[in-house]
PDB file of all heavy atoms in Angstrom:
ATOM      1  N   LEU A  69     189.445 154.119 179.013  1.00 80.00           N
ATOM      2  CA  LEU A  69     190.575 153.340 178.493  1.00 80.00           C
ATOM      3  C   LEU A  69     190.919 152.173 179.419  1.00 80.00           C
ATOM      4  O   LEU A  69     191.156 151.058 178.965  1.00 80.00           O
ATOM      5  CB  LEU A  69     191.795 154.249 178.308  1.00 80.00           C
ATOM      6  CG  LEU A  69     191.729 155.203 177.119  1.00 80.00           C
ATOM      7  CD1 LEU A  69     192.921 156.141 177.129  1.00 80.00           C
ATOM      8  CD2 LEU A  69     191.680 154.436 175.806  1.00 80.00           C
ATOM      9  N   ASN A  70     190.910 152.457 180.743  1.00 78.00           N
ATOM     10  CA  ASN A  70     191.185 151.378 181.696  1.00 78.00           C
ATOM     11  C   ASN A  70     190.135 150.278 181.602  1.00 78.00           C
ATOM     12  O   ASN A  70     190.450 149.101 181.700  1.00 78.00           O
ATOM     13  CB  ASN A  70     191.244 151.913 183.130  1.00 78.00           C
ATOM     14  CG  ASN A  70     192.568 152.615 183.405  1.00 78.00           C
ATOM     15  OD1 ASN A  70     193.485 152.554 182.589  1.00 78.00           O
ATOM     16  ND2 ASN A  70     192.662 153.274 184.527  1.00 78.00           N
ATOM     17  N   LEU A  72     188.652 149.411 179.029  1.00 86.00           N
ATOM     18  CA  LEU A  72     188.887 148.642 177.804  1.00 86.00           C
ATOM     19  C   LEU A  72     190.177 147.820 177.883  1.00 86.00           C
ATOM     20  O   LEU A  72     190.534 147.121 176.941  1.00 86.00           O
ATOM     21  CB  LEU A  72     188.963 149.591 176.599  1.00 86.00           C
ATOM     22  CG  LEU A  72     187.666 150.307 176.213  1.00 86.00           C
ATOM     23  CD1 LEU A  72     187.935 151.342 175.135  1.00 86.00           C
ATOM     24  CD2 LEU A  72     186.609 149.317 175.725  1.00 86.00           C
ATOM     25  N   GLY A  73     190.893 147.963 179.005  1.00 81.00           N
ATOM     26  CA  GLY A  73     192.071 147.133 179.190  1.00 81.00           C
ATOM     27  C   GLY A  73     193.404 147.830 178.981  1.00 81.00           C
ATOM     28  O   GLY A  73     194.451 147.195 179.000  1.00 81.00           O
ATOM     29  N   PHE A  74     193.428 149.152 178.799  1.00 78.00           N
ATOM     30  CA  PHE A  74     194.690 149.883 178.654  1.00 78.00           C
ATOM     31  C   PHE A  74     195.173 150.345 180.030  1.00 78.00           C
ATOM     32  O   PHE A  74     195.153 151.531 180.338  1.00 78.00           O
ATOM     33  CB  PHE A  74     194.520 151.094 177.731  1.00 78.00           C
ATOM     34  CG  PHE A  74     194.153 150.748 176.322  1.00 78.00           C
ATOM     35  CD1 PHE A  74     192.819 150.642 175.941  1.00 78.00           C
ATOM     36  CD2 PHE A  74     195.139 150.533 175.368  1.00 78.00           C
ATOM     37  CE1 PHE A  74     192.477 150.318 174.635  1.00 78.00           C
ATOM     38  CE2 PHE A  74     194.794 150.224 174.060  1.00 78.00           C
ATOM     39  CZ  PHE A  74     193.468 150.109 173.696  1.00 78.00           C
ATOM     40  N   GLU A  75     195.615 149.412 180.856  1.00 71.00           N
ATOM     41  CA  GLU A  75     195.927 149.695 182.256  1.00 71.00           C
ATOM     42  C   GLU A  75     197.013 150.756 182.430  1.00 71.00           C
ATOM     43  O   GLU A  75     196.930 151.609 183.297  1.00 71.00           O
ATOM     44  CB  GLU A  75     196.364 148.420 182.970  1.00 71.00           C
ATOM     45  CG  GLU A  75     195.241 147.413 183.226  1.00 71.00           C
ATOM     46  CD  GLU A  75     194.236 147.886 184.255  1.00 71.00           C
ATOM     47  OE1 GLU A  75     194.568 148.808 185.015  1.00 71.00           O
ATOM     48  OE2 GLU A  75     193.117 147.339 184.276  1.00 71.00           O
ATOM     49  N   SER A  76     198.038 150.699 181.591  1.00 63.00           N
ATOM     50  CA  SER A  76     199.231 151.506 181.847  1.00 63.00           C
ATOM     51  C   SER A  76     199.010 153.002 181.627  1.00 63.00           C
ATOM     52  O   SER A  76     199.853 153.811 181.969  1.00 63.00           O
ATOM     53  CB  SER A  76     200.364 151.022 180.948  1.00 63.00           C
ATOM     54  OG  SER A  76     199.961 151.145 179.601  1.00 63.00           O
ATOM     55  N   LEU A  77     197.888 153.374 181.034  1.00 63.00           N
ATOM     56  CA  LEU A  77     197.695 154.789 180.677  1.00 63.00           C
ATOM     57  C   LEU A  77     197.337 155.712 181.842  1.00 63.00           C
ATOM     58  O   LEU A  77     197.254 156.908 181.653  1.00 63.00           O
ATOM     59  CB  LEU A  77     196.600 154.915 179.606  1.00 63.00           C
ATOM     60  CG  LEU A  77     197.115 154.906 178.173  1.00 63.00           C
ATOM     61  CD1 LEU A  77     195.963 154.847 177.202  1.00 63.00           C
ATOM     62  CD2 LEU A  77     197.948 156.149 177.901  1.00 63.00           C
ATOM     63  N   GLY A  78     197.141 155.182 183.047  1.00 59.00           N
ATOM     64  CA  GLY A  78     196.676 156.022 184.145  1.00 59.00           C
ATOM     65  C   GLY A  78     197.695 156.978 184.706  1.00 59.00           C
ATOM     66  O   GLY A  78     197.663 158.174 184.434  1.00 59.00           O
TER      67      GLY A  78
END
Side-chain angles (χ1 to χ4, degrees):
Chain A
L69 286 174
N70 283 351
L72 292 172
F74 297 90
E75 288 291 342
S76 59
L77 268 172

